[in-house]
Amino acid sequence: LQADISRELIQAGVPVYAFNQRSVDDVLAMIATVGRLVGAEDQALAMVAELQAIIEATRAQAAALPCRPKVYFEEWDEPQISCIRWVSEMIEIAGGIDIFADRARHQSAKERIIADPLEVVRRAPDIIIGSWCGKHFRPERVVAREGWSAVPAVARGQIHELKSAVILNPGPVAIREGLPALVALFREWASRS
């Protein structure tokens, strides 16, 4: 999204350092790099260590789950788009199974479009998480989709929203707030299962 702006700045002789983090490891590396760039390497490395500790604590909590939920994370509704890589990785860290992990490695949202909404039905998620970037998630629209009453998450009322500001920004907030929110949802689901 920033390619044109970066190109214009470079052409104007302005030094540019661009990030395009797509994974949890990319997020941690970006923080360390920004710290080095601005002369705050020690603080950045301390933040990376803090975030890694949150990740490891979350993995430990996830390991204690009696079972792992299958999760459908919807980033957009029209067209339906499954989650980006760092969200997919965080679902796994928190103890869930991303039903579209096979698509999460694709850079472009266009490559994560679910052309056939019944594919979600076939993959039968236990939990649906909506985070429609830029607009309010509407669970009633999800429930009303043709054929979706057969989805375990719909039948059991396991449809949740995580605000995009908490999970769809590839930075510290996703790990500090998004990851604990995921593990809390999965623990709650497991306690009912």
Side-chain angles (χ1 to χ4, degrees):
L1 295 175
Q2 306 302 323
D4 291 338
I5 295 169
S6 295
R7 182 174 32 260
E8 289 173 21
L9 289 169
I10 292 166
Q11 288 172 342
V14 177
V16 173
Y17 199 101
F19 295 96
N20 192 18
Q21 59 272 23
R22 295 295 182 181
S23 69
V24 172
D25 285 343
D26 288 350
V27 170
L28 299 174
M30 177 271 303
I31 293 166
T33 301
V34 169
R36 283 189 290 279
L37 289 171
V38 300
E41 184 172 12
D42 291 344
Q43 295 94 324
L45 293 178
M47 180 184 287
V48 169
E50 172 213 338
L51 297 174
Q52 287 173 322
I54 292 169
I55 291 166
E56 291 313 311
T58 303
R59 277 194 174 104
Q61 292 175 36
L65 291 174
C67 50
R68 297 177 65 201
K70 293 190 300 182
V71 179
Y72 169 52
F73 188 103
E74 188 172 277
E75 204 173 287
W76 193 249
D77 64 326
E78 294 176 349
Q80 288 172 228
I81 300 175
S82 61
C83 65
I84 197 161
R85 182 176 171 185
W86 73 82
V87 174
S88 179
E89 291 175 349
M90 291 195 324
I91 288 168
E92 296 287 331
I93 291 166
I97 301 166
D98 174 14
I99 65 166
F100 287 108
D102 55 315
R103 297 175 188 221
R105 292 199 177 270
H106 294 292
Q107 292 250 22
S108 167
K110 289 178 184 177
E111 296 173 294
R112 292 181 280 113
I113 290 174
I114 300 162
D116 177 6
L118 292 177
E119 185 59 30
V120 175
V121 177
R122 288 187 287 277
R123 294 187 189 205
D126 300 302
I127 296 174
I128 294 172
I129 301 171
S131 189
W132 297 346
C133 193
K135 68 179 181 179
H136 183 66
F137 177 63
R138 304 285 303 272
E140 69 276 9
R141 289 187 185 170
V142 173
V143 171
R145 292 175 182 163
E146 188 174 337
W148 281 46
S149 61
V151 174
V154 172
R156 296 185 183 108
Q158 289 293 314
I159 304 171
H160 307 278
E161 177 180 24
L162 282 182
K163 300 289 185 193
S164 58
V166 169
I167 194 126
L168 290 179
N169 289 316
V173 72
I175 296 169
R176 284 184 180 141
E177 297 178 32
L179 198 50
L182 287 171
V183 80
L185 284 176
F186 301 167
R187 267 198 319 262
E188 187 270 334
W189 171 84
S191 72
R192 292 182 178 195
S193 294

